[in-house]
């Protein structure tokens, strides 16, 4: 109200447009959001996704008991699972699936700092386009910029994790038992590549979950910057 009266007073009393413009220019411009502000808000949203959601994946059963990201057998091994269960070895099949998820949980635990670093280095030249995009636009952008690098980081960790949690031996036993079943075709999948890809999908999926929360629920915007930035896309 005071600001409005001040502007009206200026219009009435000032003698020239130049003087009026000088007054307007001196008024607070706190409502203006720069691309830097927007980029900072988007990075903050992604950081929250890592802090709140991705860290859940590093805990025991973080993958295994999360239906959004649980790693199941690849298509070519579905017959292994069925074959084992058909002959009463369901517990062995469950152990194999659990081992895949344990390896992913272990890998994300080791690789999360690398992922956090990648997020901090992102600059959104097209920040406004991303802000006004789909519910997972920031996550998609992040994926396109980091997926190859993160794969290269995740893969050796997954490989080591297989040995650490015994998944390599478990799956050797599983596949050997399956291959011994009469009239079956032997299988030999690259489980390290498969689990690496699935672990990456899980990481990005959980970040997307948090991004959507922030975009669609005002209560999820826990900082002033998030509230100001994402109010622009409401």
């Amino acid at each position: 109200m005071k600001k409005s009266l001040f502007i009206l007073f200026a219009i009435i009393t000032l003698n020239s447009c130049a003087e009026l413009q000088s007054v307007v220019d001196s008024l607070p411009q706190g409502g203006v959001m720069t691309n830097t502000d927007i980029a900072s808000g988007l990075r903050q949203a992604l950081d929250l996704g890592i802090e709140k959601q991705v860290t859940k994946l590093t805990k025991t059963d973080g993958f295994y008991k999360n239906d959004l990201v649980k790693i199941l057998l690849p298509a070519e091994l579905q017959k292994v699972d069925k074959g084992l269960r058909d002959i009463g070895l369901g517990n062995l099949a469950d152990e194999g699936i659990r081992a895949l998820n344990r390896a992913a949980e272990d890998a994300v635990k080791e690789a999360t700092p690398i992922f956090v670093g990648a997020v901090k280095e992102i600059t959104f030249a097209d920040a406004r386009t991303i802000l006004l995009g789909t519910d997972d636009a920031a996550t998609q952008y992040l994926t396109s910029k980091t997926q190859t690098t993160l794969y290269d980081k995740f893969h050796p960790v997954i490989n080591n994790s297989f040995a650490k949690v015994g998944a390599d031996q478990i799956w050797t036993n599983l596949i050997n038992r399956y291959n011994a079943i009469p009239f079956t075709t032997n299988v030999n999948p690259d489980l390290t590549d498969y689990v690496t890809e699935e672990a990456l999908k899980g990481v990005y999926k959980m970040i997307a979950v948090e991004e959507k929360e922030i975009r669609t629920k005002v209560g999820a915007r826990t900082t002033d910057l998030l509230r100001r930035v994402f109010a622009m896309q409401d």
Side-chain angles (χ1 to χ4, degrees):
M1 181 65 180
K2 289 182 178 179
K3 186 188 297 184
S4 299
L5 290 174
F6 180 69
I7 293 173
L8 179 61
F9 176 76
I11 293 173
I12 294 173
T13 60
L14 294 177
N15 295 323
S16 71
C17 290
E19 289 177 298
L20 178 58
Q21 184 62 52
S22 176
V23 172
V24 172
D25 288 344
S26 70
L27 294 175
Q29 301 295 316
V32 176
M33 295 295 295
T34 66
N35 280 344
T36 299
D37 293 330
I38 296 170
S40 296
L42 290 170
R43 284 195 299 272
Q44 192 173 100
L46 292 170
D47 285 338
L48 274 177
I50 295 170
E51 180 182 350
K52 291 181 63 177
Q53 302 292 348
V54 176
T55 53
K56 295 177 182 178
L57 301 179
T58 68
K59 302 181 185 302
T60 300
D61 291 330
F63 273 85
Y64 188 65
K65 291 187 177 180
N66 183 340
D67 289 338
L68 287 176
V69 297
K70 182 177 181 178
I71 299 175
L72 302 175
L73 294 179
E76 61 269 28
L77 282 182
Q78 292 294 330
K79 57 185 178 181
V80 177
D81 184 84
K82 184 178 185 304
L84 291 169
R85 294 182 192 280
D86 286 347
I87 61 172
L89 293 176
N91 288 339
L92 187 60
D94 289 338
E95 183 182 0
I97 294 173
R98 188 179 297 109
L100 298 184
N101 286 272
R102 288 289 183 270
E105 291 157 11
D106 192 56
V108 174
K109 185 183 301 181
E110 297 294 331
T112 295
I114 298 169
F115 189 81
V116 172
V119 172
K120 290 180 179 178
E121 293 173 2
I122 291 175
T123 57
F124 293 114
D126 51 351
R128 291 180 184 271
T129 300
I130 294 172
L131 178 66
L132 301 177
T134 60
D135 285 346
D136 65 343
T139 305
Q140 288 184 36
Y141 183 87
L142 177 63
T143 302
S144 71
K145 295 297 182 181
T146 64
Q147 191 167 28
T148 300
T149 301
L150 287 178
Y151 179 94
D152 293 339
K153 297 295 185 181
F154 270 59
H155 191 275
V157 178
I158 290 282
N159 194 47
N160 292 335
S161 294
F162 271 146
K164 181 178 178 180
V165 303
D168 50 352
Q169 188 59 52
I170 290 170
W171 273 102
T172 296
N173 293 338
L174 274 171
I175 293 173
N176 286 342
R177 292 290 292 273
Y178 175 78
N179 288 342
I181 299 174
F183 310 112
T184 59
T185 302
N186 289 359
V187 294
N188 185 29
D190 183 354
L191 286 177
T192 299
D193 176 73
Y194 172 74
V195 174
T196 300
E197 292 284 2
E198 292 301 300
L200 286 171
K201 289 178 186 177
V203 167
Y204 291 121
K205 182 173 290 187
M206 296 310 294
I207 292 174
V209 165
E210 188 63 25
E211 180 185 353
K212 184 175 181 179
E213 281 281 301
I214 293 171
R215 284 183 180 274
T216 60
K217 298 180 181 179
V218 175
R221 302 167 190 172
T222 55
T223 69
D224 180 64
L225 179 60
L226 288 176
R227 286 188 287 271
R228 291 171 58 220
V229 169
F230 284 92
M232 296 178 65
Q233 54 101 72
D234 288 341

